[in-house]
Amino acid sequence: MSRLTVDVAIIGGGLIGAWSAYFLARRDKRVVIIEKGVVGAQSSGTNFGNLRLQGRFPGQYPLSLRSQALWEQLEDLIGDRCEFEQTGHLYLSFDQKEREKIEAYAAVSETYGLTIDHLEPSDLRRRWPWLSERVVAATFSARDATANPRLVTPAVARAAKGLGVTVIEHCRVTEIGSGGGAFTVKTDTGTEIDCGQVINAAGAWALAIAEQFGETAPLFPAGPPQFVTEPYPYFIEPSIQAVDGSVIFRQIPRGNIILAGYPRTAADPVANRAPVPAAKTLSAMQSLAKVVPALANCHVIRVWSGIEGYLPDMVPVIGPSRTTPGLFHAFGFCGHGFQIGPGVGLCLSEMIVDGETATPLEPFSIARFENPVETDEKFRREFDSEPAPDRSAS
Amino acid sequence: MADIVIIGDGPAGMNAAAVVHAHGHRPILITESRQAGGQGYRRPSPGLELDMPSLMGSEAGKYLALHARFEAIRSAIDYRQNTLVWNIENRTLHLLRDGVASTQSFDALILATGAMDRIAPVPGWTLPGVFTLGGAQVALKDQGCFIGRRVAFVGSSPLLALAAQQYRKLGADVVVIADTTPLLDKVAALPSLANSPRTLLRGLAYLGGAWRAGVPVLNGVTALAIEGDDHVIAITLKDSGNRDRRFACDAVALGYGLKPETQLAELAGATLVYDETFRLWLPRTDAYGRAGPGLYLAGDGAAIGGADAAEASGALAAHAALADLGFAEPGATMLGLRRRVGRLRAFQQGLARAFAWPVAQIGALADSVTLCRCENVSVGDVRRAMDQELGPVEINRVKAMTRCGMGRCQGRVCGPSLQEIVAGHAGIAGAAAGRLRVQAPVKPIALAAADAIS
Ligand SMILES: Cc1cc2nc3c(=O)[nH]c(=O)nc-3n(C[C@H](O)[C@H](O)[C@H](O)COP(=O)(O)OP(=O)(O)OC[C@H]3O[C@@H](n4cnc5c(N)ncnc54)[C@H](O)[C@@H]3O)c2cc1C
Ligand SMILES: Cc1cc2nc3c(=O)[nH]c(=O)nc-3n(C[C@H](O)[C@H](O)[C@H](O)COP(=O)(O)OP(=O)(O)OC[C@H]3O[C@@H](n4cnc5c(N)ncnc54)[C@H](O)[C@@H]3O)c2cc1C
């Protein structure tokens, strides 16, 4: 059994844990990341890789834009680009109602200073002649980007390690003792960590940690069905999303087209499984061929999904615990945590080092679950059925 | 009436269908091929005037008998050719035929999906003119053509000599049969081969034929490499006396035995277990082929055994399925088949030692050698990724970092070699390197396939 004393213990070596560690280490904190598997192998390593700014929850723009600025400096920060490509994001609408929706999204984006191109079918035919003629209008944001999720989290964790962070893999946090303003983190390998602060960045498994401190949230483990095609000549630069959620896709310069479909599928965090129902694969294939008819003969080579924590209002929990000083939560990223990951890590480091952050995070307080919360329309629409909160996660 | 579905119309699937039919049932036999026979008992494309009995040599009788038996039941069963099973979930098969998707449920499922060639990379293995050993046979038996006029048969497999003989018979020049397993190891494996003397003698006869024809037959070769700029021009190697040898040729048939096609079994819920002799992950079955409730595995897709074992295990799995469904009493036939399959597969365990997967040679490959040809990942790319800080040591993580095994074939070709490179570089056991997880589709499917749905 080994024992370690640090300033901050981070539970979970996903993107959130890795970036938190990185920024804390830059502020001279002694930090340990404890990861039950290996760094960046869960949601953070299996996601679609979209760094989308359009269409976000309005209260998240300050955080989201701060995060994008960090993504734009990725190479300077960690010494690796991780296939970061700023090729924009295109929202498609197929009828009048959808058109109103993307216009409303655009109005919000513009309030926060984003430049949005409002595109008519004639513009689309000029810029992306291979798009379906059924698109009635689209909005394009050039600042949106993508990166390779398989590479990013390990690269950030490596950079954090270079700054002195200790990374412990294959080690599961089982119990956290607290008292007198300090914590003792216990693990299944016997390693114990004494520390002053704890970040709960345990992804879809985070409830098991929060509940030890008398806090809860209706967290639901699920993931979008995804697939990848064989490589095709590179012609799709932006990532493209139908506003009804039926397809989000992008092409990587290697040529493969990556797609995230819907509705999302319940995942099993205990068995560590995220099955992709065949029917969803087929309907996503159909949707993609409708949006880009030229892909009809392109072959799908693999499906997958991931285990992501969702909350009924489709916004994450980020911020201090309500019951326990020194404990911070960051989980339930509802399928959009990749984009805000660096920003969340930076804000958490500021909260811990400076006691506050300039970025408004009130909408993300865990306190909101002390009262009944409203279920977001997107949550209803984009899941198979009204998901029940999962309490079996361990 | 219960649906008994068989996937695959090689000897295992054909025979399973015959047994189910003989018990008064109408099996559904699904196959992606257009011609019955599978790999070992492949039929030439229609219109090809190939003398199959002569090509099949000592196996001609069995070949003709099986096809005759199948022809007799063909119209009485629900036979769906040209149909790919691309996924299995919750006891539903997902099918694709002529670009149209559909589903099929089942009460009992017999998977007889066969095997594919196992390849170990050598320098130059991605050059035009290099074929898998099985591919060289398919070219001959399916299309009636050679992979080249002057062919080197290389690797480690009993089929090297067989294929070389078939090529010679039809007039090709065999420049060398070069096997990486040392002769001493082959001799050491002899006792375990003695329980099937007929097969053993047949193998020796092929070799004898090559000797008599003056073809160099080398065992225990090392440092294999294929030469050429845009096409094969020669192979080079060190013989068992450590002498450098070079054989000019215009084609190479390369093979290290077979690798079961286990993707569908895994999707259907079979458990895969690492086999130390074959150094492959194989589905776990009982002695009758049961791999789970209502799930049966037969033929080379369950365990490498060759055409005879495929036939017998196909019949065995069908008997087990019929018995489990209450349609037949398990009887003496089943016990006899069980013993026969056990004996034939034990023989293959011996063969796997006499024709060994070249673990040490793969571990010693230079960094520059291509490992994954779909994604153009080299051996060095994998080793460097593993050497990084927080570098991966598990095969799926190595894949995630390097793209090795992430291409069109989904690691079906490079998987076993990647396993050795990872285990060797990390200094861990083969099994400890993990197993490339399968996901649908088991073969690539076009987007348009979904159009006919809903
Ligand atoms: C299929 C899919 C597609 C997505 N697409 C996008 C996208 O395009 N854009 C976007 O912005 N977001 C996307 N997301 C969401 C994004 O991936 C996540 O929000 C983000 O990765 C969350 O990071 P995390 O660090 O909180 O979680 P994770 O990556 O899940 O990390 C949590 C870690 O904690 C570890 N852990 C849990 N419990 C313990 C314990 N007790 N002890 C030790 N370790 C523990 C886990 O093993 C895990 O590694 C997608 C998600 C999925 C599943
Ligand atoms: C390339 C090659 C060449 C060979 N040549 C010889 C030889 O010359 N002589 C010899 O004795 N042995 C040969 N073998 C060994 C061969 O494996 C056995 O002899 C025998 O064919 C095994 O029989 P089987 O019924 O188990 O499988 P196979 O004969 O391989 O039949 C497998 C069947 O499954 C079907 N199938 C597989 N996956 C799917 C799917 N997803 N959907 C639908 N259908 C599917 C295939 O279409 C095929 O009909 C060869 C093997 C290979 C791989």
Side-chain angles (χ1 to χ4, degrees), chain A residues 82-141:
Chain A
C82 299
E83 297 173 19
F84 175 81
E85 301 270 353
Q86 202 146 28
T87 46
H89 173 268
L90 186 65
Y91 246 135
L92 305 180
S93 63
F94 287 88
D95 60 32
Q96 191 53 33
K97 220 175 129 209
E98 288 185 0
R99 177 183 192 134
E100 284 159 19
K101 191 162 173 180
I102 60 170
E103 289 299 342
Y105 282 161
V108 174
S109 302
E110 283 162 343
T111 323
Y112 287 98
L114 270 185
T115 304
I116 305 291
D117 297 346
H118 298 255
L119 303 163
E120 297 299 327
S122 56
D123 305 317
L124 292 172
R125 263 191 287 287
R126 201 180 61 250
R127 285 176 74 171
W128 299 291
W130 35 262
L131 271 176
S132 158
E133 297 191 345
R134 293 168 41 252
V135 180
V136 302
T139 58
F140 178 74
S141 162

Side-chain angles (χ1 to χ4, degrees), chain B residues 8-12 31-32 38-40 83 85 112-115 134 137 141 299-300 307 310:
Chain B
D9 64 349
T31 178
E32 62 175 317
Q39 296 291 4
T83 305
V85 183
T113 47
Q137 287 184 294
K141 290 198 277 183
D300 275 1

Side-chain angles (χ1 to χ4, degrees), chain B residues 362-382:
Chain B
I362 297 171
L365 283 174
D367 279 351
S368 57
V369 177
T370 301
L371 178 55
C372 167
R373 57 177 183 174
C374 296
E375 294 298 318
N376 199 18
V377 181
S378 72
V379 170
D381 291 335
V382 167

Side-chain angles (χ1 to χ4, degrees), chain B residues 296-362:
Chain B
Y296 307 82
L297 309 183
D300 275 1
I304 300 303
D308 291 351
E311 266 197 70
S313 65
L316 180 60
H319 279 289
L322 290 163
D324 294 348
L325 288 168
F327 296 154
E329 291 293 320
T333 324
M334 231 168 120
L335 273 180
L337 283 167
R338 182 192 138 158
R339 251 181 253 118
R340 182 167 161 70
V341 171
R343 200 180 65 239
L344 290 166
R345 288 199 179 143
F347 180 75
Q348 293 291 327
Q349 289 268 337
L351 275 186
R353 280 185 283 271
F355 299 93
W357 174 239
V359 179
Q361 295 198 25
I362 297 171

